[in-house]
Amino acid sequence: MERPSGPSYFQTMTQTESHAAMRSASGYDLTPPTDSQRAALEADLSPEEKRVLLAHGTEAPFCGTLLGEKRAGVFCCRECGLPLFRSGTKFESGTGWPSFTEPVDPAHVRAVRDDSHGMVRVETRCARCDSHQGHVFPDGPPPTGLRYCINSVALSFVAEGESLPDPLGRGDGTA
Ligand SMILES: [Zn+2]
């Protein structure tokens, strides 16, 4: 796996950290959950989901339930329901994890520098609830050249036309 390198890559990928807009351009309320809302969201997670979303874990490759998901729809944050990726940007990366070229909205996925495990990587988090999602690498296909490598358990899939999970009651609508 090619490792990201160069200061420009990190500057570009971490710029979204300074964007504090509470509503994204695509119309979603990005206000973080309150403490009590967060407790309720976390209580709804399985032990494996907690390990990945809350403790920066990584699921085993080729085991995720969304790896082969090919239906049209939206992949939402498993914790708070925010739409993060669209089916049209999903591609076969061969890595064993669901891979995407770009988020639904750049404001929905926050990039954070990650120096763990002796590597320099860019971690991606849900911009609303701050849960860990995966990493983004600069070795993806066109049009972006990016590879968002995301854990299946960090996502919930919503087929086109179905209601989004919306556990925070923000009126998130349909996929
Ligand atoms: Zn979230």
Side-chain angles (χ1 to χ4, degrees):
M1 189 181 293
E2 189 179 325
R3 281 176 19 189
S5 61
S8 60
Y9 170 67
F10 285 101
Q11 278 159 13
T12 304
M13 293 314 303
T14 54
Q15 269 170 359
T16 51
E17 278 190 272
S18 61
H19 293 178
M22 285 297 108
R23 189 169 287 277
S24 66
S26 52
Y28 290 87
D29 184 350
L30 301 183
T31 309
T34 63
D35 287 350
S36 62
Q37 285 175 327
R38 188 176 293 281
L41 292 175
E42 292 178 3
D44 186 44
L45 301 176
S46 72
E48 172 69 355
E49 288 165 350
K50 282 183 182 163
R51 190 181 70 81
V52 171
L53 288 159
L54 308 181
H56 291 207
T58 299
E59 71 190 8
F62 300 103
C63 294
T65 54
L66 296 178
L67 188 58
E69 180 58 70
K70 293 187 176 0
R71 288 176 291 166
V74 173
F75 296 83
C76 299
C77 171
R78 170 64 187 90
E79 183 168 347
C80 79
L82 184 68
L84 300 181
F85 298 97
R86 232 176 260 296
S87 53
T89 68
K90 191 170 185 284
F91 69 98
E92 286 294 340
S93 64
T95 59
W97 290 282
S99 301
F100 304 88
T101 54
E102 61 185 329
V104 162
D105 183 313
H108 290 197
V109 176
R110 200 159 73 86
V112 179
R113 184 183 170 116
D114 175 7
D115 293 321
S116 66
H117 303 294
M119 295 177 274
V120 180
R121 295 180 292 172
V122 177
E123 178 197 353
T124 62
R125 297 184 194 175
C126 170
R128 183 156 72 184
C129 73
D130 207 38
S131 62
H132 172 69
Q133 294 283 322
H135 290 86
V136 56
F137 300 94
D139 59 7
T144 63
L146 296 174
R147 173 171 59 92
Y148 287 82
C149 183
I150 309 297
N151 292 284
S152 281
V153 299
L155 299 169
S156 58
F157 177 73
V158 180
E160 199 167 60
E162 292 181 4
S163 298
L164 295 169
D166 198 20
L168 291 171
R170 302 279 174 83
D172 284 347
T174 55

